[in-house]
Amino acid sequence: MDFGPHFLIASLEGAITAAILALTAMGLSIVFGVMRVVNVAHGEFYMLGAVIAWWVAHLIGIHPALGFVAALLLAPLLVGVLAAAADKLILQKIGYDPDRTIVGTIGLLYIIQQSTLMTFGPDARPVQPPFNTRLSIPWFEFGDNGFEIIWPWGLGTTSYKLFVIFAAIVILTGLWAVMTRTKIGLIMRATQQDNEMARAFGVPVERVYAWVFGLGAALAAAGAVLVVPIQQAHYLMGGDPLLLSFIVVIIGGLGSLPGTVIAAIFIGMSDGIISVFFSPTLAKIIATLVVAMVLVFRPQGLLGKANP
Amino acid sequence: MAAVTILSTTGLTKSYGGVVANNDIDFTLPAGQIMALIGPNGAGKSTFVGMLCGRISATAGKVYFDGEDVSHLPAHKRISLGIAYTFQITSIFAGLSIHENVALAVRRRLGNASAQVEEKVAEVLERVGLSDRAQQRAGDLSYGHQRILEIAMGLAQEPRLFILDEPTQGLAETEIEEFIALVKSLAGEATILLIEHNMDVVMKTADYITVFNFGEILAEGTPMEIRDNEAVQAAYLGTAQDA
Amino acid sequence: MTDTRRSQALHAGVILLLIALFFVLPAYHVGNLARILVLAVYAMGYNLLFGYTGLLSLGHALFFAAGMYGLGMTMQFFDLDPATAFGSGLIAALVVSAVVGFLALRTSGVAFMIVTLMFAQAGYLTILYFGEYTRGDEGFVIQQAERVFAGFDLTGPTERYVAALLLFSVCFSLIAYIVQSPFGRSLVAIRENEERAKMLGYDVVRHKLKAVIISGVMSGAAGAGYALLFGYAGATFATVQYSILPLLWVLLGGAGVTIGPLIGTAFMFYLIDYSSSITTAYMLVAGVVLVLLTLFAPQGLAGEIRKRALPWLP
């Protein structure tokens, strides 16, 4: 294949990574933005979403589409409830102290991951996509006959992959509408700005925190459900999304929601594109160092505003 | 004036994103004096002393300590030149013993000489009347005693310039009397710059008063002169009266 | 007895006890104890930074690995003798911790944790990237023939225990000395109230940098010691998990107490040893312990002892 079609494929793969990453990182970002704590177990909620998706699809098993839809509804719900419970049982008890929250969520990470290993086992398991039509993509070139449209071998995608991008956009738009247009969103934003003041105005801050923590985890789970028909569910799959989400949230500015989306697109696209052309390990080394340097020299994020 | 100047500023300015907290302040403090900084809340007094000791970076202007330009020195270097500072909101090592709080202040100067450190700590605790509580946890002290401990940490540094930001805030009457006595006993040992709202304390201790208003120096003079100054009265009556 | 005397007696007592254990314990546990002692050195290095200075790093595996590979690679490719290779492990850890400290200390709190995590991750990936030399995740074995120092075969159980105890005792005494010195006390002051420490004239940034470097070099010494005594270096030791383990040991044993790391490491070692005989998911135990500690005993075992019975514990 020539460079052009190759690049188009890479961009498409990048767009899928970006879509999933935007969902997952948004979960982390909302939790940090509203509660000011870092949830190290975020990647495990993602993994749990994928694993539950496999269970649900497996149990229903009549038709792939039915199982998938059920998983898309149930997995985020279950993961969200679990996260809210963890918030009530652990984080609330330690008063959301930043250091202790990190240590506590590291503990939670191992508990979720290892419990999955004990029940789900060490194997990677696939989920059937609900639909998977192959779509070829045309390319053009100037040949002997002038301008002509060709169908290069290998240049194509599937309807499901396009659906992932579409679904991510729908979920994020819905989230944005909730945050800006509804009373729930208003309460969340008020708590984010000043939780003492919110409390004084009768906002049940503890309950808001539990909801936000659940919502953050549910977003990660939703991203994972979308991804399992492409990747497989595995008990160690939470590591990479956690790291990438960190990177996105930091580059986008801690707690800034539009920044998070922009950074997710940027990181997802470049990750997809770079890993097609370079060694993925080298790409990861560079990305990790860049993020560390951003935190050191521009802690408000690349897109965040500098403090006066 | 014949007296040696220990601290001075020229054109010292601080602005926070366009809001000017301190504007072009020229200030001189003669060695050995007890100077009070007064002024309504928000007049920029704390910002000013923050810039003197380097906690707050100045937007423009210079600070001279003992004839040297210290404008570019970080806070800890300025402190080690002989400045001590007490915070407006009490700041001590709450989890450590009272002895250790004072010892930390002494050790920075005396380092490893443990016998001398012990001697100095004992002397300072004796002076402020905290000797019998030396092994208590500082965080368990009453509010008034915590303030006194912070002053003790200042004394322990044997500073040439001692900056106190509202030291009597929240103290009981008797504690205030003790504080006044303590400050007076320091005359001759150190130059003192005192931010103070309690006019009784100011009148009893200060040799000289500088009045801040809207980030500028409104008036300077002896306590008598300031008491009779109409601009000062207007500034106070027009804003805060809690002083 | 003064507090200083008590503390000297305690530290000497611990070392004497460890010597005595060698003669009392069966061979299997002596082998375990050698491993625990080396890992406790890692935990002590971590404790200086976390327990005494109040800086929570999530990237100490980088320093451990720097020591490990600093020794392993030079033995493998330059045929250095164990002592020189150990020195090069320390130098590697020194350089890495100085660079990381210089950069990461520009941040604080949560950002510091994430930056250290990122640097360690970059270090881990670098080891994988140069897999041709480092053998990546698989790692490489340091042959028995090379692990002979001054006529002592460090693979023998007695020599190994002696070497581990020696490394531990040196670091243990050093930590005890540091934390009771004016320098160590000013680290505690920074942990308790950084702004106040600064306004007492302490150069907070320099103190913290020194703490990172001492902590990093000690972690590196543990890494180098581990590779030398157990004959293996692998990228697993550079993973996030190995950054979290010393945090876990220190929290369990008691942060900011000199004997905390040893207690925590030994306790956790046997807990995991026991649970891995039952299930492959033995890290579940670590997770549960972490959560329980966060909730109920943030001071750890030795911390609780200090609070309830022995307030003079350094």
Side-chain angles (χ1 to χ4, degrees):
Chain A
M1 245 190 306
D2 294 334
F3 175 79
H6 210 139
F7 186 77
L8 187 61
I9 286 262
S11 309
L12 254 173
E13 292 300 318
I16 294 161
T17 311
I20 303 291
L21 189 53
L23 285 176
T24 314
M26 187 58 82
L28 195 67
S29 184
I30 284 183
V31 169
F32 184 85
V34 177
M35 301 164 66
R36 296 278 138 191
V37 296
V38 175
N39 173 19
V40 186
H42 194 66
E44 304 314 306
F45 290 133
Y46 175 91
M47 178 274 288
L48 214 49
V51 168
I52 293 177
W54 182 85
W55 279 110
V56 171
H58 199 70
L59 283 176
I60 293 188
I62 314 162
H63 185 273
L66 198 63
F68 180 81
V69 171
L72 194 54
L73 294 174
L74 276 177
L77 186 71
L78 289 176
V79 172
V81 169
L82 184 86
D87 172 79
K88 280 242 175 254
L89 290 175
I90 303 171
L91 302 192
Q92 214 175 88
K93 295 277 190 299
I94 56 174
Y96 301 100
D97 175 82
D99 289 12
R100 288 172 76 189
T101 299
I102 294 226
V103 178
T105 51
I106 289 174
L108 197 58
L109 178 159
Y110 282 122
I111 293 176
I112 297 175
Q113 185 193 78
Q114 300 287 310
S115 307
T116 310
L117 172 63
M118 288 171 83
T119 49
F120 182 78
D123 303 324
R125 299 172 194 219
V127 170
Q128 285 263 310
F131 43 84
N132 206 18
T133 325
R134 226 198 111 67
L135 306 169
S136 291
I137 300 173
W139 190 251
F140 55 87
E141 66 179 18
F142 290 100
D144 300 334
N145 311 326
F147 183 81
E148 63 179 354
I149 289 178
I150 56 166
W151 301 83
W153 187 85
L155 179 57
T157 184
T158 66
S159 55
Y160 181 74
K161 287 186 173 177
L162 294 182
F163 166 76
V164 169
I165 299 172
F166 173 75
I169 294 173
V170 170
I171 295 175
L172 287 174
T173 314
L175 181 72
W176 175 78
V178 169
M179 290 295 278
T180 53
R181 297 271 190 276
T182 66
K183 195 168 172 218
I184 299 170
L186 180 70
I187 289 174
M188 274 169 61
R189 280 179 292 136
T191 314
Q192 165 165 14
Q193 270 172 10
D194 187 341
N195 63 7
E196 289 303 319
M197 192 62 96
R199 204 187 302 267
F201 277 99
V203 172
V205 172
E206 272 76 28
R207 212 181 312 155
V208 173
Y209 278 5
W211 273 95
V212 166
F213 203 69
L215 176 66
L219 281 169
V225 177
L226 290 175
V227 98
V228 267
I230 305 173
Q231 285 171 17
Q232 300 183 339
H234 184 249
Y235 82 105
L236 286 178
M237 73 190 290
D240 275 356
L242 175 70
L243 203 66
L244 280 174
S245 299
F246 264 143
I247 294 177
V248 164
V249 171
I250 289 161
I251 300 261
L254 289 167
S256 148
L257 302 192
T260 303
V261 173
I262 296 169
I265 295 170
F266 174 71
I267 299 285
M269 294 295 285
S270 45
D271 187 65
I273 293 169
I274 290 172
S275 56
V276 167
F277 293 103
F278 299 98
S279 137
T281 312
L282 186 60
K284 275 188 194 163
I285 294 175
I286 294 169
T288 318
L289 284 179
V290 166
V291 171
M293 290 305 167
V294 167
L295 260 180
V296 169
F297 293 104
R298 235 189 109 78
Q300 70 277 20
L302 283 180
L303 302 161
K305 290 189 202 77
N307 286 325
Chain B
M1 260 194 292
V4 185
T5 299
I6 189 156
L7 180 110
S8 62
T9 70
T10 54
L12 204 58
T13 301
K14 179 70 192 178
S15 58
Y16 293 99
V19 181
V20 179
N22 269 201
N23 187 18
D24 200 16
I25 293 177
D26 297 331
F27 171 87
T28 308
L29 177 60
Q33 197 172 65
I34 298 178
M35 154 109 66
L37 283 186
I38 65 169
N41 288 322
K45 306 181 296 288
S46 287
T47 305
F48 178 67
V49 296
M51 285 194 288
L52 295 185
C53 57
R55 276 188 74 215
I56 300 171
S57 61
T59 314
K62 299 243 179 249
V63 179
Y64 299 90
F65 180 70
D66 210 12
E68 300 275 329
D69 182 355
V70 297
S71 315
H72 298 291
L73 293 184
H76 68 88
K77 288 231 170 97
R78 298 193 202 186
I79 299 293
S80 43
L81 287 175
I83 300 177
Y85 174 85
T86 69
F87 288 78
Q88 182 175 10
I89 298 161
T90 315
S91 180
I92 54 172
F93 301 109
L96 306 180
S97 74
I98 289 157
H99 179 280
E100 182 64 12
N101 269 267
V102 178
L104 278 164
V106 178
R107 259 192 237 117
R108 201 259 307 148
R109 254 181 337 110
L110 298 181
N112 251 330
S114 60
Q116 282 164 276
V117 172
E118 285 306 315
E119 198 180 316
K120 182 71 193 171
V121 172
E123 177 202 317
V124 170
L125 288 177
E126 183 67 41
R127 185 164 183 179
V128 297
L130 286 174
S131 297
D132 50 338
R133 297 168 191 267
Q135 294 311 320
Q136 266 186 38
R137 196 175 155 275
D140 296 340
L141 286 175
S142 71
Y143 180 77
H145 279 125
Q146 290 192 8
R147 293 232 75 142
I148 287 167
L149 173 60
E150 194 172 355
I151 292 167
M153 289 161 80
L155 294 177
Q157 299 173 66
E158 294 187 357
R160 284 188 291 158
L161 170 62
F162 197 175
I163 300 175
L164 295 134
D165 196 347
E166 300 201 26
T168 65
Q169 196 182 46
L171 290 190
E173 274 309 314
T174 52
E175 291 169 328
I176 290 180
E177 288 307 318
E178 285 168 23
F179 172 77
I180 292 172
L182 186 63
V183 169
K184 286 193 159 167
S185 75
L186 279 174
E189 284 178 45
T191 312
I192 292 175
L193 183 59
L194 182 69
I195 295 184
E196 190 52 69
H197 272 295
N198 186 324
M199 287 312 284
D200 189 40
V201 175
V202 172
M203 290 302 168
K204 280 183 182 159
T205 56
D207 303 321
Y208 203 76
I209 297 176
T210 299
V211 187
F212 268 62
N213 199 24
F214 297 118
E216 297 186 354
I217 292 177
L218 178 70
E220 293 172 283
T222 61
M224 283 305 179
E225 288 165 3
I226 294 298
R227 194 191 310 230
D228 298 333
N229 186 314
E230 280 176 23
V232 174
Q233 287 170 2
Y236 265 91
L237 294 174
T239 51
Q241 296 196 0
D242 58 331
Chain C
M1 233 183 343
T2 66
D3 287 357
T4 325
R5 278 285 143 72
R6 276 180 187 157
S7 140
Q8 282 165 352
L10 172 84
H11 291 93
V14 168
I15 293 170
L16 287 176
L17 177 72
L18 289 167
I19 294 173
L21 282 176
F22 172 74
F23 295 103
V24 178
L25 289 178
Y28 170 71
H29 292 288
V30 169
N32 280 350
L33 199 52
R35 212 174 280 260
I36 289 170
L37 288 178
V38 175
L39 293 176
V41 170
Y42 184 21
M44 289 193 295
Y46 191 84
N47 192 26
L48 183 72
L49 196 64
F50 171 63
Y52 290 95
T53 321
L55 288 167
L56 201 166
S57 148
L58 291 178
H60 258 53
L62 183 61
F63 308 141
F64 188 84
M68 175 172 262
Y69 281 91
L71 174 128
M73 303 295 278
T74 48
M75 283 180 84
Q76 197 82 340
F77 292 102
F78 304 113
D79 289 326
L80 292 189
D81 67 284
T84 321
F86 192 83
S88 86
L90 295 189
I91 291 170
L94 176 87
V95 172
V96 172
S97 55
V99 172
V100 168
F102 177 76
L103 290 168
L105 287 173
R106 296 174 58 107
T107 64
S108 59
V110 169
F112 181 81
M113 301 177 202
I114 298 176
V115 167
T116 48
L117 179 78
M118 292 286 173
F119 278 127
Q121 188 66 15
Y124 166 65
L125 292 168
T126 307
I127 294 173
L128 293 189
Y129 186 69
F130 291 105
E132 200 185 322
Y133 308 101
T134 63
R135 316 283 317 140
D137 274 327
E138 194 186 304
F140 58 89
V141 170
I142 301 169
Q143 298 302 330
Q144 183 176 359
E146 298 172 48
R147 287 154 58 201
V148 177
F149 174 61
F152 290 102
D153 178 4
L154 294 174
T155 57
T158 307
E159 288 87 345
R160 177 149 71 192
Y161 189 81
V162 170
L165 182 60
L166 196 66
L167 177 65
F168 173 83
S169 305
V170 168
C171 294
F172 189 53
S173 314
L174 191 66
I175 286 285
Y177 170 75
I178 289 174
V179 302
Q180 293 176 85
S181 72
F183 169 70
R185 305 234 177 200
S186 48
L187 292 184
V188 173
I190 291 169
R191 178 193 75 195
E192 289 289 314
N193 188 341
E194 181 170 339
E195 190 67 11
R196 181 70 265 183
K198 188 171 88 186
M199 297 313 286
L200 284 181
Y202 287 103
D203 187 341
V204 169
V205 179
R206 226 177 110 196
H207 274 76
K208 283 189 191 168
L209 182 60
K210 277 190 194 166
V212 171
I213 292 175
I214 297 173
S215 169
V217 171
M218 198 168 281
S219 305
Y226 199 93
L228 185 61
L229 296 182
F230 302 100
Y232 171 77
T236 337
F237 292 102
T239 52
V240 180
Q241 185 172 325
Y242 268 83
S243 291
I244 289 170
L245 282 174
L247 169 68
L248 181 64
W249 296 328
V250 167
L251 278 172
L252 180 61
V257 189
T258 51
I259 53 165
L262 178 64
I263 296 177
T265 312
F267 196 94
M268 201 65 209
F269 186 91
Y270 275 102
L271 199 61
I272 288 191
D273 189 52
Y274 176 68
S275 51
S276 59
S277 65
I278 304 172
T279 167
T280 48
Y282 58 88
M283 281 303 284
L284 181 64
V285 178
V288 172
V289 170
L290 271 176
V291 170
L292 291 180
L293 280 172
T294 329
L295 282 175
F296 303 112
Q299 313 243 18
L301 297 172
E304 293 295 326
I305 294 174
R306 169 156 69 187
K307 203 166 88 183
R308 281 158 216 268
L310 309 172
W312 53 267
L313 278 186

